[in-house]
């Protein structure tokens, strides 16, 4: 049976070149990057080179990039760290209803501590309104945290315009760019970004390594106490192989940026068109063009997303419904609810996220398999029978 991985927004395979770059750092160059001896110096050299690659790619300087254990830590650090360091200035934070839980749950914790949080609503495509954003800014606003690209529905926010508004009002701007890195252009100066979160495993790098960009001069508290690593900002022995892998993944993403994304967009749009042409009673979630190059997300009326996933799994197709982090709970995705879908419709959602190794044959296979599965599942639904007048 064919095996087709359509869940790249959950995680990506590690590219062979990335593994190859990492291997020596497990076995030969295993020194602690903080040690003074030759083993340590070699490891440190690798870390510096990776930091340089990533910083350069986003237009930052090397002393503004701090390695973390991934996107979740970077989001936690950015929001909690800025909130706690700027308490005297104000207690108001602006974010959106469609953020990743690594942002939303931190904001909820801060509310319990006395911070005030405005959760901006989006339109039906998942786009925030710049007018609403500007209207929400108060003298006590210390931080705007808005994701660059949504992980469920793929919608791309106007981060350059958001950055301009933040700058005009003297408010710090954090963006969760975990899904954006390598997929859309990111430039901390052009886009007026003060803090930006990354994760390597969404970009064909290893899991458990990420980074936070922090603009020079930004007031931010540390999340943890410990050693003097990362300029005394983020303690803990550096994950050297992870950092090397992250650097290599970014290098490859930079090299292939235009070609890979043009190819992904072509396959994405072929998938969307193929599904729309063969299956009725569906809704494309997310903006049709301001969209992650590999994201396809549909709601199928009269169907449970979970049954759809299981049926797809039986024919070798790996996809997701809602977000991977919330599977197991019965609540529909908070993102689909936030864009105004009903519980019923939101429950029938399917995210197919394509990646650099996805082929035309993979896309054809999914389109071909999906139609009979959807028809079979719908045939069990009394509502479907009613809606179609029992003619099917
Ligand atoms: C995956 C993801 C995260 C979490 O990153 P981890 O490295 O898995 O902790 C945060 N934000 C977004 C948008 C993501 O897609």
């Amino acid at each position: 049976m064919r095996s087709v991985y359509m869940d790249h927004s959950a995680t990506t395979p590690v590219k062979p070149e990335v593994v190859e770059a990492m291997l020596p750092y497990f076995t030969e160059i295993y020194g602690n990057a903080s040690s003074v001896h030759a083993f340590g110096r070699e490891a440190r050299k690798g870390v510096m080179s990776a930091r340089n690659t990533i910083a350069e790619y986003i237009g930052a300087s090397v002393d503004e990039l701090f390695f973390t254990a991934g996107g979740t830590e970077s989001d936690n650090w950015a929001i909690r760290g800025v909130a706690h360091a700027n308490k005297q200035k104000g207690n108001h934070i602006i974010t959106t209803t469609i953020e990743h839980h690594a942002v939303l749950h931190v904001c909820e914790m801060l509310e319990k501590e006395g911070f005030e949080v405005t959760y901006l609503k989006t339109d039906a495509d998942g786009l925030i309104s710049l007018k609403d954003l500007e209207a929400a800014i108060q003298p006590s606003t210390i931080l705007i945290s808005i994701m660059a690209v949504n992980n469920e529905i793929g919608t791309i926010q106007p981060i350059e315009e958001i950055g301009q508004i933040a700058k005009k009002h003297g408010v710090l701007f954090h963006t969760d760019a975990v899904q954006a890195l390598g997929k859309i252009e990111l430039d901390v100066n052009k886009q007026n970004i003060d803090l930006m979160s990354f994760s390597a495993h969404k970009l064909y790098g290893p899991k458990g390594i990420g980074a936070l960009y922090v603009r020079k001069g930004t007031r931010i508290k540390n999340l943890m106490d410990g050693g003097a690593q990362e300029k005394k900002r983020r303690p803990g022995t550096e994950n050297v192989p992870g950092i090397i892998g992250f650097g290599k993944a970014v290098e490859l993403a930079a090299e292939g940026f235009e070609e890979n994304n043009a190819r992904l967009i072509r396959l994405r749009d072929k998938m969307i068109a193929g599904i729309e042409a063969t299956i009725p009673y569906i809704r494309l979630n997310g903006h049709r063009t301001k969209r992650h190059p590999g994201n396809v997300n549909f709601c199928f009326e009269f169907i449970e997303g979970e049954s759809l996933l299981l049926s797809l799994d039986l024919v070798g197709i790996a996809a997701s419904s809602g977000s991977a982090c919330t599977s197991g709970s019965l609540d529909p995705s908070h993102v689909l609810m936030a864009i105004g879908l009903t519980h019923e419709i939101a429950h029938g959602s399917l995210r197919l996220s394509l990646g650099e190794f996805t082929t035309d044959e993979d896309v054809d296979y999914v389109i071909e398999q999906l139609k009979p599965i959807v028809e079979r599942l719908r045939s069990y639904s009394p509502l479907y029978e009613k809606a179609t007048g029992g003619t099917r």
Side-chain angles (χ1 to χ4, degrees):
M1 188 179 63
R2 253 193 118 84
S3 172
V4 176
Y5 186 76
M6 288 283 171
D7 205 11
H8 292 83
S9 293
T11 196
T12 56
V14 181
K15 282 181 180 166
E17 299 95 315
V18 171
V19 175
E20 201 184 319
M22 290 172 72
L23 282 177
Y25 289 85
F26 288 104
T27 50
E28 294 153 38
I29 318 172
Y30 51 79
N32 185 315
S34 299
S35 298
V36 288
H37 47 62
F39 292 81
R41 282 200 303 275
E42 276 300 295
R44 192 150 62 243
K45 236 169 73 184
V47 169
M48 278 168 58
S49 155
R51 198 190 310 275
N52 198 49
T53 302
I54 302 167
E56 198 173 291
Y57 184 55
I58 57 166
S61 83
V62 284
D63 49 2
E64 296 175 309
L65 194 81
F66 303 90
F67 290 111
T68 65
T72 299
E73 184 190 332
S74 297
D75 285 344
N76 270 262
W77 183 17
I79 297 167
R80 212 171 250 139
V82 164
H84 287 160
N86 294 275
K87 257 195 281 200
Q88 293 85 346
K89 195 173 164 243
N91 72 337
H92 182 232
I93 296 165
I94 299 172
T95 184
T96 79
T97 50
I98 63 162
E99 298 297 309
H100 191 274
H101 282 147
V103 168
L104 284 179
H105 290 169
V106 177
C107 287
E108 286 161 18
M109 289 306 290
L110 289 172
E111 283 186 281
K112 289 187 183 153
E113 290 177 29
F115 286 89
E116 277 176 37
V117 183
T118 299
Y119 299 91
L120 295 175
K121 292 197 171 75
T122 72
D123 66 11
D125 290 332
L127 278 175
I128 65 138
S129 139
L130 295 169
K131 265 198 204 127
D132 289 356
L133 169 64
E134 196 150 20
I137 297 175
Q138 304 164 16
S140 60
T141 308
I142 49 175
L143 177 68
I144 294 169
S145 179
I146 296 179
M147 71 199 316
V149 177
N150 185 269
N151 47 303
E152 289 188 40
I153 58 175
T155 299
I156 300 172
Q157 302 295 340
I159 48 171
E160 190 167 337
E161 288 81 353
I162 296 169
Q164 277 165 5
I165 292 173
K167 191 177 183 182
K168 183 174 132 193
H169 292 271
V171 177
L172 292 171
F173 173 36
H174 164 249
T175 188
D176 175 338
V178 171
Q179 294 287 341
L181 188 63
K183 296 295 181 297
I184 64 166
E185 199 197 331
L186 293 171
D187 184 311
V188 295
N189 293 319
K190 192 173 155 209
Q191 295 162 332
N192 287 306
I193 296 164
D194 298 302
L195 303 112
M196 181 152 53
S197 303
F198 305 114
S199 179
H201 78 96
K202 305 283 175 77
L203 184 85
Y204 310 93
K207 294 168 182 61
I209 183 75
L212 181 66
Y213 159 78
V214 183
R215 183 176 293 282
K216 218 172 289 172
T218 302
R219 292 171 57 92
I220 180 166
K221 283 233 162 99
N222 289 359
L223 212 52
M224 296 189 288
D225 298 304
Q229 291 90 354
E230 299 294 288
K231 291 187 185 297
K232 299 190 180 165
R233 295 283 190 96
R234 201 282 187 176
T237 300
E238 294 88 344
N239 173 358
V240 179
I243 291 169
I244 300 295
F246 188 10
K248 188 69 188 180
V250 168
E251 181 191 316
L252 295 173
E255 275 172 20
F257 184 83
E258 303 224 336
E259 197 183 324
N260 287 334
N261 286 323
R263 190 174 161 280
L264 265 181
I265 288 172
R266 182 180 66 76
L267 291 174
R268 174 197 74 188
D269 291 345
K270 174 177 171 174
M271 176 91 89
I272 291 174
I275 293 173
E276 286 182 332
T278 50
I279 306 175
Y281 301 105
I282 60 174
R283 176 192 196 275
L284 178 70
N285 297 311
H287 197 281
R288 201 168 276 271
T289 53
K290 292 172 188 163
R291 185 179 195 93
H292 181 292
N295 177 288
V296 175
N297 188 318
F298 279 105
C299 281
F300 296 82
E301 283 187 65
F302 315 109
I303 289 184
E304 291 284 327
E306 294 297 309
S307 357
L308 198 48
L309 280 193
L310 293 175
S311 303
L312 286 170
D313 191 38
L314 288 175
V315 295
I317 298 168
S320 99
S321 171
S323 103
C325 323
T326 48
S327 307
S329 91
L330 284 173
D331 290 337
S333 138
H334 70 280
V335 175
L336 297 179
M337 295 308 289
I339 61 173
L341 303 189
T342 62
H343 265 71
E344 257 177 314
I345 303 274
H347 268 304
S349 77
L350 177 73
R351 180 185 71 186
L352 297 154
S353 42
L354 289 64
E356 285 179 33
F357 302 110
T358 302
T359 62
D360 273 281
E361 289 72 33
D362 291 338
V363 172
D364 293 338
Y365 181 69
V366 173
I367 297 169
E368 183 190 302
Q369 293 294 320
L370 200 52
K371 183 181 157 71
I373 289 174
V374 168
E375 279 176 359
R376 182 172 52 77
L377 293 174
R378 279 179 176 168
S379 73
Y380 308 141
S381 161
L383 287 172
Y384 180 61
E385 195 161 326
K386 217 168 144 189
T388 55
T391 55
R392 283 161 192 270

